[in-house]
């Protein structure tokens, strides 16, 4: 019998397994709302984590899973070329372990949030060596502690229809498409017990651009499997735009295709960009919650995600405020708790799915 969780999984063996009537691992298809509880995850920003006891209390109470939001990025760990600084990452990870939470690692390779010295590298050989060393040190340090890793983050171009498939940046420009294979192979060596994910945004609506992004992800997954390089899941960032709507059929088709390849799906960075919504607080909160409901209903009707993680917990600390500023003076309300750490309709909606 083919072991679907094996690190040696190939596409052919998955297809044979499915043809033989086996159920793919980890992603049960067909349920309306998932039968078993879906773990609820929260990405943790270091400043409020250090300064705000209400944040830590809510994490203890509600989070099943914790993600260091920025502390595992190259810019945080590798500010100096010659030494690693694990201070922030260790603080969050120790807290998670102490309170029995699972941990998701974000991210071993990204085109953004890199130290200046890395972006200045011009030699492909040097960059390849640095990538392997970085992953060996970072994923190796937390082997057995970090259950799942975003091995690569945002490697697909924003618009593959006009820009080509790959995201431009240091990794692609110097190493070409190989950078993804190098990263996954290094992660599998350094953290053999971890589940390895590719993570990306704008996979949730039904525009042609999103379809092209989904296709690109599927192609990357198949190529890794054909080369016998382990990959276990796809992270849907799910930075949802309230004005866009969810592409229910398109999303369902995408997750079923992943399921057929033996891959899990996780929701990794959920929040709702509310810049186009009316300023009125209650109307906005209801619309944000409705967007989340529409998304989670569409997703869970295609299969059960490994977890649902929000990108922060309180509106007091969200990247949405600066990245997607409103035209009026109202403050963004993209997350499950308000700026006073009180639950909002979005939280109750998530709870319906995560128990
Ligand atoms: C964001 C963080 O939330 C900010 O605190 C930081 O300043 C920039 O990065 N997609 C990702 C995340 O994969 O790492 C980004 O996080 C948000 C978009």
């Amino acid at each position: 019998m083919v072991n679907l969780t094996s690190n040696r999984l190939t596409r052919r063996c998955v297809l044979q397994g499915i043809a033989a009537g086996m159920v793919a691992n980890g992603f049960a298809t067909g349920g309306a709302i998932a039968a078993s509880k879906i773990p609820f995850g929260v990405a943790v920003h270091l400043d409020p984590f250090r300064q705000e006891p209400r944040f830590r209390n809510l994490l203890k109470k509600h989070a099943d899973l914790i993600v260091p939001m920025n502390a595992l990025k190259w810019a945080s760990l590798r500010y100096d070329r010659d030494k690693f600084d694990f201070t922030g990452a260790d603080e969050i990870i120790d807290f998670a372990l102490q309170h029995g939470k699972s941990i998701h690692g974000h991210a071993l390779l990204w085109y953004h949030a890199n130290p200046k010295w890395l972006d200045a590298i011009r030699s492909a050989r040097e960059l390849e060596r640095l990538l392997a060393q970085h992953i060996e040190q970072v994923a190796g340090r937390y082997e057995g502690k970090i259950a799942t890793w975003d091995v690569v983050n945002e490697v697909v171009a924003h618009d593959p229809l006009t820009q080509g498939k790959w995201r431009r940046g240091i990794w692609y420009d110097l190493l070409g498409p190989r950078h993804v294979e190098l990263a996954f192979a290094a992660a599998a060596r350094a953290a053999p017990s971890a589940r390895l994910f590719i993570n990306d945004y704008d996979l949730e609506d039904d525009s042609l651009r999103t379809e092209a992004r989904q296709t690109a992800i599927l192609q990357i997954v198949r190529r890794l499997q054909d080369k016998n390089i382990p990959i276990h899941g796809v992270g849907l960032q799910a930075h949802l735009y309230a004005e866009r709507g969810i592409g229910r059929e398109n999303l369902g088709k995408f997750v079923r295709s992943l399921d057929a390849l033996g891959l899990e799906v996780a929701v990794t960075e959920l929040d709702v960009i509310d810049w186009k919504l009316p300023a009125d607080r209650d109307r906005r909160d209801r619309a944000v919650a409705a967007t989340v409901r529409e998304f989670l209903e569409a997703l869970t009707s295609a299969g059960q995600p490994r977890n649902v993680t929000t990108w922060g917990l309180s509106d007091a600390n969200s990247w949405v405020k600066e990245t997607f500023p409103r035209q009026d003076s109202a403050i963004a309300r993209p997350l499950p708790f308000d700026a006073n750490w009180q639950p909002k309709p979005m939280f109750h909606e998530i709870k319906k799915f995560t128990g």
Side-chain angles (χ1 to χ4, degrees):
M1 179 158 160
V2 182
N3 176 7
L4 286 168
T5 60
S6 155
N7 279 351
R8 301 223 157 271
L9 193 66
T10 63
R11 179 153 62 105
R12 191 172 304 125
C13 86
V14 172
L15 293 174
Q16 282 164 353
I18 285 163
M22 291 171 57
V23 178
N25 171 61
F27 195 73
T29 47
I33 285 192
S36 56
K37 176 176 159 32
I38 301 169
F40 173 50
V42 179
V44 170
H45 194 293
L46 205 51
D47 294 340
F49 175 76
R50 283 178 174 158
Q51 289 152 20
E52 183 50 78
R54 287 177 293 180
F55 186 24
R56 289 194 298 277
N57 286 337
L58 288 171
L59 286 172
K60 286 184 213 163
K61 189 162 172 206
H62 296 295
D64 303 303
L65 176 148
I66 281 179
V67 188
M69 181 183 281
N70 297 313
L72 286 168
K73 292 174 182 170
W74 278 73
S76 306
L77 295 174
R78 309 293 304 273
Y79 184 77
D80 294 319
R81 181 173 177 149
D82 301 325
K83 67 171 203 287
F84 286 80
D85 181 359
F86 289 105
T87 321
D90 280 352
E91 261 179 76
I92 297 172
I93 287 166
D94 288 348
F95 172 90
L97 292 172
Q98 196 188 336
H99 297 285
K101 316 293 185 189
S102 324
I103 303 162
H104 176 75
H106 174 84
L108 294 169
L109 178 155
W110 193 22
Y111 75 95
H112 194 54
N114 289 321
K116 283 208 181 72
W117 62 262
L118 184 74
D119 278 330
I121 285 172
R122 294 290 170 263
S123 150
R125 282 186 59 185
E126 188 184 0
L127 189 67
E128 182 174 341
R129 203 168 46 237
L130 274 162
L131 177 65
Q133 282 166 353
H134 178 86
I135 293 180
E136 186 186 328
Q137 295 279 319
V138 178
R141 178 186 181 87
Y142 298 115
E143 162 62 352
K145 295 181 176 172
I146 291 188
T148 48
W149 267 108
D150 290 333
V151 177
V152 300
N153 189 37
E154 302 183 351
V155 295
V156 172
H158 178 72
D159 184 357
L161 296 171
T162 58
Q163 299 169 318
K165 172 165 147 185
W166 298 97
R167 164 82 55 183
R168 301 297 303 269
I170 180 86
W171 304 111
Y172 178 76
D173 291 351
L174 264 66
L175 301 174
R178 226 161 46 92
H179 69 289
V180 173
E181 294 156 26
L182 293 169
F184 274 91
R189 285 194 300 273
S193 75
R195 309 280 290 168
L196 306 179
F197 278 66
I198 180 171
N199 193 50
D200 221 311
Y201 68 95
D202 279 357
L203 297 166
E204 302 87 12
D205 69 24
D206 59 5
S207 65
L208 290 176
R209 181 174 68 83
T210 289
E211 270 184 35
R213 294 174 56 74
Q214 294 170 334
T215 303
I217 296 272
L218 287 166
Q219 285 169 354
I220 293 169
V221 168
R222 289 196 190 102
R223 185 161 173 83
L224 287 168
Q225 290 184 334
D226 283 344
K227 292 194 160 190
N228 262 328
I229 300 172
I231 175 164
H232 307 107
V234 172
L236 308 175
Q237 288 188 2
H239 296 295
L240 306 177
Y241 292 74
E243 73 276 14
R244 264 188 205 169
I246 303 301
R248 192 183 171 92
E249 267 174 42
N250 204 31
L251 179 63
K253 188 168 147 235
F254 181 52
V255 296
R256 279 190 295 273
S257 304
L258 293 170
D259 187 36
L261 293 170
L263 262 75
E264 294 182 275
V265 169
V267 178
T268 51
E269 305 187 13
L270 179 62
D271 53 24
V272 180
I273 296 157
D274 64 342
W275 58 350
K276 306 271 165 73
L277 287 175
D280 179 78
R281 207 191 66 167
D282 293 341
R283 280 179 66 195
R284 194 140 51 102
D285 286 356
R286 279 200 300 277
V288 163
T291 300
V292 165
R293 179 173 61 242
E294 196 187 344
F295 169 62
L296 291 178
E297 269 175 9
L299 181 61
T300 53
S301 68
Q304 176 158 342
R306 184 181 172 100
N307 50 60
V308 171
T309 296
T310 55
W311 204 240
L313 192 63
S314 152
D315 294 336
N317 315 101
S318 168
W319 74 306
V320 171
K321 209 177 344 188
E322 287 94 39
T323 316
F324 305 93
R326 295 177 58 87
Q327 300 286 358
D328 56 28
S329 56
I331 309 285
R333 299 177 67 82
L335 285 168
F337 284 70
D338 71 14
N340 290 316
W341 305 90
Q342 298 305 307
K344 294 160 52 190
M346 176 177 174
F347 181 63
H348 302 302
E349 215 46 73
I350 292 173
K351 275 283 154 192
K352 288 182 196 158
F353 293 84
T354 60

